[in-house]
Each structure stands twice: as structure tokens, then as C-alpha cells.
Amino acid sequence: MNEIPKNFGLHRPSLTLYAFHLRNSINQGEEPTVAEAPILWEQLVDLGDKFHITKLKTLPNQLICYQNNQYFPQIEDSFGIEYTNLLHNQEQSLNFQLIPQTRGLELQGLLCPFRLHDTYAIDLTLYSQDTFSISQLSNLNYNNLLLPPKIQASLGQTLLLFGQPIEAQDNYQDLANAFVTQILSERNSTELISTGYLLGNPIFEYESAHTDPAQKLHILVWFKCQDMNQNCMDKVAEILLYLLWCRHKIQYVYYQSRWCDRKAKKLYGKLQNYERRFHQITQTANQRSQLRQLQVDLSNIGLEYARYLGELADHENTIAINEKNYRNKLEKLESLPETNLGLWHQFLRYSQNKLQQQIQTDLRFLERGRDRLQHLKATVQESIATAPVENQSRFGGNSWVQPAVTSFPQNLYYHEHVAVTNDMPGIPENIYPRLWRTLSNCDQFRTNDRLIDFFDSNDLLKAWCNNLPETNSRDERAQRVIAYLDDEYRNDTKENVLMILLHLLKKQIDPVKELHQTLSELIQELEPILAPKSNSKSNLVVLHNNPSLNDLRKAEANPKGEPMFYIAGDEKLLNCARAVARVTVPKIVNGKMKKIPTGTGWLVTSELALTCWHVIEARDPKREPPISASDLQKQIANSVFTFDFTQAGVGIEYGLVQMEHDNLELDYAVVRLRDRQDSPLQRRRFLGLDADIDFKLVTQLYVIQHPKGQPQQRSGGFYKSDLDSNRILHSAPTEEGTSGAPVLNVTNFQVVALHNGENETQKLREATKIQAILSDLQHNRPKLYNEIIAAQSQNQE
């Protein structure tokens, strides 16, 4: 490199900062922007305070996204989001004077703030009409005012130094190197990565090695060595903003993808531990309860794993979209005269050959983990079905005692494969809420590690330490521990392990505290319920033949003349039940899983199933905004239809290929299921449709359902009236989780309506007529309608 004389410099230099900051993200929840969105404007105000620039100090008064000096981004919605000038009255720029810092050099400035779709962008330029020597160029970036951390834009930033060299040079690259060194502080370093020509004048590109976009330095040096057409220069300014935005967006998204990749690979690394845990469980007694807990944990890790894979795929798609936009802007720039920008074609190749290919490689690797996880889940499912029945002592010898059915609190999340009514058969519904709340208030339940340490340090609990459920919620941690321990007994003392836990927790708490008293009360109430049962035979009353008892039997033989039912009808109902599934849809809000609600669905062909739209959406329309397209796709990708779920630990799962059609008004959705080789859907009958039924008050109905996500049940009722031309009201009992269930005509066991939910005004249940659904499909999706009708016709032959 040739040394440049210190007195060499630029005529009329300018330094422009292009900074890009994230305004919106899929993770922002119900807020109008991400929490950090206004930071860019706050940083500019801070600059105004430090450098006494009045127009920057009062910047919020100049922006449309502020009202009364308070950030109010909703007002931007009335403008176009693709490109919005954020200054009041659409002024072109905010112009200001910068007080000279040294040697009387006068600087002027202008700020152009924009919104570009999901991004805030600024064009902040400092310029002078004077001639600056190399040593004076640092005044354009006085005190690093245009570098991080004074400006820390989340997507990244570019500095453009422009000016006319005072003398022609044989090697402008050496001159550019000297200028870059001068405007940067000693702690910032960049490397020259490419060169080119823009409007016949040399341009040089520099970049630092930072991976964090907010810290990365990207610098362009453009020399004016010959005159340029002003119209062409205006076009450059317009195109350059978009081009740099796409460039920084690509780098930012790739940086985010590295975080997802690390998280997913961390989960992948845990798979071996889960496989080892499965093999350990199969060598122990009381396998079923441990396998169920393992199944829940695998479902949770599967959802989290799928989320990261989905985000990686989204990142790859976002990079591809921005790469296409970048290419379009680059082509427009290169269409200008005397322009050769091979430097930016290199970035395109870098994006394709490095960034996108790396994400694709990551996804291929991580998909193997998903396959391993699915295989392990299927193996655990099969093991649960074949595991021996546990804890015979709870059945009181040869006579079976019906366990109490538990009513769960509203905030208990339902998980795949878990029959929620059977997890805690011995805890009465009036005790259970107090029990889990009390446990969650104990310090030992604050974190997973604290709970594990507590079990590990107590010999009476140590045997249950390794399989303790882990979760991020204290409440859910308490609920899962109850489910894990309520039917666990020590082999030596026959004591219930949950009772042991309660006693040990009580010893850790000061007797004067209310928590100690609550634990004492719970122990007293649960002692007789969870006490080990006697192995002696129950006392049975034997009825001998005697005249009085025989006479009594005669008197009780159907004294009211109630009807009896043919077994053939039950057989038809059971055949119908095999086409009905529990629907598990993870509620994903801004990419994060909130909970797992359930519904019901059923086969209308061997591949297509019907359920309610609101089951797939998993939103409360009264309190929540409609679902985003991104969240909907993730929910569909992770939804599960479980058939033959007639008791805890059994059932066959099918994922979704896609949602074929939905109708918000009629509240229905048609989905296509992903088939399984080990249990093809063709073996499973689908339900017939009765679209021509003439509803009458005597029309008797069955509803096959999975209320509250429980094993399959059915209820009966009658048609009551038409709610409107598309809906009926019926009286069959239903509960939360029944939505999407088939409403069957008792006389022919065909579906006449799709259950939607409760009509609070009428105190009856609503259901959409099958006739209305078929009519909508015929009008809006004729091919899908023909597919269903063809299958139904064959089903009737």
C-alpha cells in the first residue's frame, strides 16, 4: 500500500449512515411492534442531546409514529407499510446544522426516516461544502457518533463515504483504505472485500468480522472522479436503500438461524438420554406410569423440536425471498450507465452457496432427530399398551373399587396420549386443586434442579429421582409430580410415595407458617384415600336361594317397561367410533407454544377428516386476535389425530399433511391426514353422510366425542330446532373438547351435523348441518367436494 499524504483529502465530503432496525416480528405477541422498535428513534434523540442538535433532540415531534411525545406506532397503519416516509406532512428530510467541533469546520446534516415493511430505516447524512484533509475526515464521525453503540440497529448498518478527491490517483484503493482508517476508531477494523464502478466512478466495500448484525461494520467508499447525471444519482439513492435493507435482512435472518440450530441440536443431544431412560424403565416394576410420563416428556420435546425446525425452514424461506428482492434491486442498479457491481454479485453467491446451503444441511441433519424421536414415541406407545397392570393392591383383592374421577383445573395443559381422567384416580376433585397449588408454593418446586436435589437427598424418595417430570412452570411441575406419584408405592413399607413427599415437605417448613398447616390438613385428608389396600379378600355377601329373594327378583324385572336395545346397534356404533379421533392442536402464538387444547374429528374419506375450524385455530375469538398465517402452519404441522383412544395409553396417531379447506362462518375445516405403513387408513372405515335428513323433534342423535381430551365417549339426545338455515340445536350432553364431533342419526348411524359448541342463550348445543358443509365445498372447492362424494358413493355400495 502506498502512503497517502496527510494533506490529501476530499472536496465536499459526506458520510451517510443507512441503519435498519426491526419493527415487527412473529414473536411480538399482541403488541403492535416488538418492544425494542422505538430504540432507533431514542438513539437519535440521544445523539441530539450530546451534540446539541435541536431537531434531533425533538425528533419525536417530527415523526408520525409519536403522539404527545409518546410512541404510538398504530397510526402508521393508515399509511402503506411497504414504504412510508415517517416525517409529518411527508417532508423529504429533516435538515439541521452541526455545531463545529474543531478547527471551525462547518457540518450540515439531514435525516430521512422510513418504514420498510417490518423495518425502521434511516438515511442520516453529515456533509460539508468545504475541503477536508485526511486527518480532518474523522470529524464526519466525531466521537464515533455514527457507529455502535451510539447507533445500534438490530438488522445492521452501512456507512457510505462520498466525495471528490482533490487530485486524480493511479490507485484509488489506497486512498479508500486511508479514508476508512481515518473515520473509524482504532478498536474497529474492517477488510476490503470487493471493488466496482457505479456511474463510472470507483466504489469500494469493507466489512468487519462480527457475526452480530447490530455490531457488524459495513462501509462503502464512493469517489466522484467524473461528473454524474443528477437523475441517475437520485435513482442510486432510491435503489441503494432497498438493496442494503435486503442485504442486512439476509445476514440478520441467518444470524437468527444459528440460534435455532444450536437450540435444536441441544435437544437432539438429549435423545440418547431419553432412549436410555426408556430402556431403564422397561427393566423396572410399575412401568406404565413411568412410560406415560416419558410419553408426555417426549411430546413436549417433540413440539419444541418441531418449532425450531419450523423456524429454520422459515429463515431459509425469508433469506430466499430477500435474495430475490436483492437481485431485482441489483439489476436495476446495474442498468444505470457505466456501472459494474461485481462486488454485490459476490454477496448473492455467498447467500446461496453458504447461508442457504448451511440451513438446508442443518435441516437434513435435524430431520434425522425428528425421525428418531417419532420412532421412540411409537415404541413407548406400544410398550404402554403391553405393560402389565400396576399396583394390584389398589383394587382391594378380588373385588375392584371404582376410583374417583378427577376434575382438573382449567389451566392444566393436556398432552398427547395422556388420558387425563386416569392420571390421578385416587385424588377427589375437592382436594386436587388445593394439593397442586400447595405443592407449587413449596420452595422445592421452584425449579427442576431443586426438586431433583430434594428427592436425591431423601432415601425414601431417591428411587423416584431419575424419572421426575421436568417443565418450566411451577404449577405444571406440581401437577405432573402428582400424576407421577399418586399411584406409586414402596415395595418395602407399602407407603404411598406422594404421602411420603407431603410428610417430608411438611418437616421442612416452619410450623407457624400457613403452608405447614395446609400440608397437615392435606395429609390428614389423603391418608385414608392413598393408604395401601389390604391384600385380604373383601367381605362378600352371598345370596342363597330362598323364596323371598326370588319374589323380589320377579318384582324388579323391568317394572317400568323401559326399552331394551339390540346388540347389533351397539356394534354399528362401535364401527362408527373407529372413525372418530381425538384432535390435539398445539396453541402456538408468535411461534411459541402456549398450551395444547383438544377437540374431536372424524374421517369423511379414507384420507380426509372433518373437525371445527376453531379447533384448528385454537384461539378464543372473544379475547384473542385471529391466528397469523405462520402460527397456523406450525399448528397444522404439529397437530395429531389419535384414533382408537378408548382408554389410557392406547391409540394410533396420524399427523396432518395439510388443511384442504376451512370456513369460519360454518366453523369447519377439512384436513388431509398423513398415512402410516403400520396402520393404513384404508383399513379404517369412514363415516357416511346424511345430507337429506328431514329433522323432526323425534329425531334421536348420538355424539361420539373426546370431552376434555378424555378417552372416547358417546352421548345421546334429540334435535330441538334449527338455529338458522345452516345450523341446528340439539340436546346431547357435551363438554369442552367435543367440538368437531360427528352428530349421528340414530336410525342409520350416518352423520347429519358437525358439533360446534354450546349455545349459551338457548342452553342447547349447536351443530353445523352436513348439507351446509357439502354445499359450501361444492361451491368453493369442487374438486374436494367430488373427492368426498366419490368416496361416499363407494362406501354405500
Side-chain angles (χ1 to χ4, degrees), residues 421-435:
T421 53
N422 290 344
D423 277 346
M424 289 151 286
I427 312 271
E429 61 183 49
N430 62 323
I431 298 177
Y432 177 75
R434 282 189 295 128
L435 176 60

Side-chain angles (χ1 to χ4, degrees), residues 15 17 47 124 126 140-141 144-148 151 157 159:
L15 186 63
L17 170 68
L47 277 182
L124 176 63
L126 301 181
L140 290 172
N141 188 31
N144 291 317
L145 65 96
L146 298 184
L147 295 176
I151 300 294
Q157 57 194 61
L159 280 177

Side-chain angles (χ1 to χ4, degrees), residues 472-640:
N472 294 327
S473 164
R474 290 181 71 166
D475 289 346
E476 192 173 355
R477 188 175 299 118
Q479 294 161 2
R480 291 196 188 184
V481 167
I482 296 171
Y484 173 36
L485 298 180
D486 85 302
D487 57 356
E488 291 288 317
Y489 290 80
R490 290 187 61 89
N491 291 330
D492 49 2
T493 64
K494 307 302 180 185
E495 292 177 276
N496 178 267
V497 182
L498 181 59
M499 292 300 299
I500 295 174
L501 173 63
L502 294 176
H503 280 287
L504 291 174
L505 289 172
K506 176 185 170 184
K507 289 182 180 180
Q508 301 288 319
I509 299 171
D510 191 329
V512 301
K513 292 187 176 181
E514 183 179 353
L515 188 58
H516 184 279
Q517 179 62 31
T518 304
L519 282 168
S520 298
E521 294 171 357
L522 286 167
I523 289 170
Q524 186 175 2
E525 293 177 70
L526 289 172
E527 197 77 61
I529 298 170
L530 298 180
K533 308 300 182 190
S534 171
N535 288 327
S536 61
K537 292 184 179 180
S538 299
N539 296 322
L540 301 178
V541 178
V542 180
L543 298 179
H544 300 284
N545 283 333
N546 61 67
S548 59
L549 287 176
N550 286 333
D551 291 343
L552 182 60
R553 291 191 187 101
K554 282 184 180 180
E556 289 181 346
N558 201 11
K560 297 181 180 180
E562 296 180 53
M564 298 182 182
F565 302 97
Y566 290 104
I567 296 298
D570 294 334
E571 185 178 5
K572 290 181 179 180
L573 190 60
L574 287 172
N575 286 335
C576 291
R578 293 203 66 235
V580 181
R582 181 183 70 175
V583 182
T584 307
V585 180
K587 181 176 181 178
I588 298 175
V589 180
N590 297 314
K592 294 184 178 180
M593 198 270 286
K594 298 295 186 181
K595 62 178 181 178
I596 304 181
T598 59
T600 304
W602 45 280
L603 290 172
V604 69
T605 76
S606 59
E607 294 183 0
L608 298 174
L610 271 171
T611 188
C612 283
W613 157 248
H614 78 261
V615 170
I616 299 296
E617 186 187 32
R619 298 291 191 274
D620 184 347
K622 295 180 180 178
R623 290 178 290 186
E624 297 176 292
I627 190 170
S628 69
S630 175
D631 286 342
L632 176 60
Q633 290 305 314
K634 289 172 183 162
Q635 289 184 184
I636 292 171
N638 292 284
S639 295
V640 175

Side-chain angles (χ1 to χ4, degrees), residues 69 145 205 218 252 352-353 359 362 392 407 515 519 531 620:
N69 215 36
L145 65 96
E205 182 178 30
H218 180 238
Y252 171 80
Q352 292 174 327
N353 300 334
I359 296 178
D362 295 335
Q392 296 295 328
S407 174
L515 188 58
L519 282 168
D620 184 347

Side-chain angles (χ1 to χ4, degrees), residues 198-218:
L198 181 57
L199 299 180
N201 290 284
I203 186 168
F204 303 88
E205 182 178 30
Y206 299 79
E207 194 169 50
S208 70
H210 288 97
T211 57
D212 183 353
Q215 299 293 329
K216 195 175 189 70
L217 297 178
H218 180 238

Side-chain angles (χ1 to χ4, degrees), residues 293 296-297 299-301 303 408-409 411-416 418 423-424 432 436-437 439-441 445-446 448 451 468-484 593-596:
Q293 184 57 55
V296 171
D297 294 342
S299 296
N300 289 337
I301 196 175
L303 283 171
F408 284 79
N411 62 345
L412 176 61
Y413 299 163
Y414 297 115
H415 299 278
E416 294 177 20
V418 179
D423 277 346
M424 289 151 286
Y432 177 75
W436 72 259
R437 289 193 187 99
L439 289 180
S440 68
N441 287 330
F445 281 77
R446 184 177 298 172
N448 294 318
L451 187 62
L468 277 172
E470 296 186 24
T471 177
N472 294 327
S473 164
R474 290 181 71 166
D475 289 346
E476 192 173 355
R477 188 175 299 118
Q479 294 161 2
R480 291 196 188 184
V481 167
I482 296 171
Y484 173 36
M593 198 270 286
K594 298 295 186 181
K595 62 178 181 178
I596 304 181

Side-chain angles (χ1 to χ4, degrees), residues 684-703:
R684 189 174 297 278
R685 293 185 57 181
F686 51 88
L687 297 181
L689 305 179
D690 185 358
D692 300 321
I693 182 173
D694 182 16
F695 287 103
K696 300 181 182 300
L697 291 178
V698 294
T699 302
Q700 191 174 357
L701 306 170
Y702 283 144
V703 179

